[in-house]
């Protein structure tokens, strides 16, 4: 076969499609901004970048059902026996390894919890998230969760970076290049990627839904 991206008899497509890569590299960029703005109390920036994180994470989650092969949860989630087999025997995987898959899920859940809890948090001063009123008496607990969840997220990000570093530099597997360019020597897909417009449509729908919720959410009572 001599189509573009084909080598020998095997068609080769990116293992990480453009949607996965764009959302992935947005994470460190946005999280850095969220860390800085959260610590500095720059809620004007924190709020809007936070909304963009909700859109990015939810789009990635939906992409886990309608996206390209290696992006789909059904493709890389294996259950305890698959993880155990991988731990004992290892083995090559074109997409996420069974253990890597668990860290992907943990990171996505923590990112979602972080951004959703933010929308119900308050800095007890000038800013409260748009859904604070709905949190009612739980608003204080949710704000505490926003801080605790952040510590958990830091731990998982550190583990993520250590794991990537281990594969990249000790096992000489060019994972970072694959996440940047879509594929590397051993990491490629034989299935064409899903059309990107589906992800764009998903992101637009999430923006619409979030905007509508923010518009209808009642303001929390002010004590000042
Ligand atoms: C700091 C915030 C970060 C977060 C929240 C994060 C999160 C994630 C997530 C959720 C995935 C799964 C990708 C998917 O299927 O959608 C992933 C994969 C990956 N990340 Fe990150 N990441 C971060 C930073 C980084 C950095 C700084 C690097 C590079 C130095 C990196 C390298 C990778 C690589 C290479 C993969 C693919 C792993 C594989 O081949 O299975 N990540 N990351
Ligand atoms: C992934 C997304 C997010 C990250 C990584 C993040 C991170 C942080 C960090 C590091 C802090 C400082 C915590 C501290 O002082 O100990 C913070 C505080 C805060 N964040 Fe977020 N945040 C996110 C999303 C959001 C969103 C979407 C909102 C609301 C729209 C929000 C609202 C707040 C508020 C109100 C505080 C102040 C809490 C306090 O003073 O205790 N956050 N956030």
């Amino acid at each position: 076969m001599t189509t573009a991206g084909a080598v020998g008899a095997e068609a080769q497509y990116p293992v990480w499609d453009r949607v996965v890569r764009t959302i992935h590299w947005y994470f460190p960029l946005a999280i850095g901004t969220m860390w800085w703005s959260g610590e500095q109390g720059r809620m004007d920036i924190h709020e809007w970048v936070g909304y963009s994180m909700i859109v990015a994470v939810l789009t990635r989650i939906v992409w886990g059902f309608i996206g390209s092969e290696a992006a789909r949860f059904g493709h890389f989630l294996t259950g305890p026996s698959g993880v155990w087999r991988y731990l004992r025997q290892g083995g090559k995987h074109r997409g996420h390894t069974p253990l890597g898959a668990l860290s992907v899920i943990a990171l996505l859940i923590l990112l979602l919890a972080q951004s959703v809890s933010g929308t119900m948090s308050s800095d007890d001063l000038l800013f409260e998230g748009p859904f604070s009123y709905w949190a009612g008496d739980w608003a204080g607990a949710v704000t505490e969760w926003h801080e605790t969840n952040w510590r958990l997220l830091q731990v998982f990000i550190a583990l993520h970076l250590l794991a990537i570093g281990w594969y990249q530099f000790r096992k000489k597997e060019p994972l970072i290049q694959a996440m940047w360019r879509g594929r590397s020597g051993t990491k490629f897909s034989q299935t064409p990627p899903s059309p990107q417009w589906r992800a764009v449509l998903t992101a637009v729908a999430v923006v619409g839904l979030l905007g509508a919720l923010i518009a209808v959410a009642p303001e929390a009572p002010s004590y000042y």
Side-chain angles (χ1 to χ4, degrees):
M1 199 190 285
T2 49
T3 51
V7 171
E10 274 186 327
Q12 290 193 0
Y13 301 95
V15 65
W16 307 125
D17 59 40
R18 214 178 274 274
V19 175
V20 166
R21 284 179 284 147
T22 309
I23 294 178
H24 178 268
W25 291 115
Y26 184 63
F27 286 157
L29 198 74
I31 288 172
T33 312
M34 293 307 281
W35 189 354
W36 170 80
S37 57
E39 297 289 350
Q40 297 299 316
R42 287 295 305 269
M43 287 297 142
D44 50 337
I45 296 173
H46 200 76
E47 180 183 10
W48 288 98
V49 180
Y51 295 149
S52 75
M53 276 300 288
I54 297 183
V55 176
V57 176
L58 285 180
T59 304
R60 172 62 186 98
I61 291 174
V62 173
W63 200 241
F65 298 98
I66 63 168
S68 310
E69 191 183 46
R72 291 192 185 221
F73 300 127
H75 182 76
F76 62 75
L77 283 178
T78 52
S81 57
V83 176
W84 182 237
R85 203 173 317 120
Y86 174 71
L87 283 174
R88 287 190 359 188
Q89 299 167 4
K92 293 270 177 211
H93 292 262
R94 286 206 173 134
H96 295 300
T97 64
L99 194 60
L102 289 185
S103 92
V104 173
I105 296 302
L107 282 166
L108 290 176
I109 290 175
L110 285 171
L111 287 171
L112 191 62
Q114 185 70 29
S115 31
V116 171
S117 63
T119 62
M120 298 177 191
S121 297
S122 136
D123 66 359
D124 280 335
L125 197 66
L126 295 169
F127 178 84
E128 44 213 5
F131 308 142
S132 295
Y133 179 82
W134 284 333
D137 292 342
W138 291 91
V142 178
T143 305
E144 268 176 43
W145 178 252
H146 195 62
E147 289 170 17
T148 310
N149 194 78
W150 168 239
R151 284 193 280 279
L152 274 176
L153 194 53
Q154 284 178 302
V155 170
F156 274 81
I157 291 174
L159 287 176
H160 176 59
L161 297 181
L162 283 173
I164 298 297
W166 168 265
Y167 281 102
Q168 180 83 28
F169 301 110
R170 288 298 292 261
K171 300 189 88 179
K172 306 274 181 245
E173 286 184 32
L175 297 190
I176 300 176
Q177 288 88 326
M179 191 39 103
W180 186 255
R181 291 202 306 260
R183 67 172 106 172
S184 68
T186 53
K187 270 191 177 287
F188 59 88
S189 172
Q190 283 165 271
T191 326
S194 295
Q196 290 170 37
W197 60 261
R198 288 191 196 169
V200 175
L201 214 62
T202 305
V204 169
V206 176
V207 169
L209 204 66
L210 185 63
L213 282 175
I214 293 171
V216 300
E219 255 184 53
S222 166
Y223 298 104
Y224 297 101

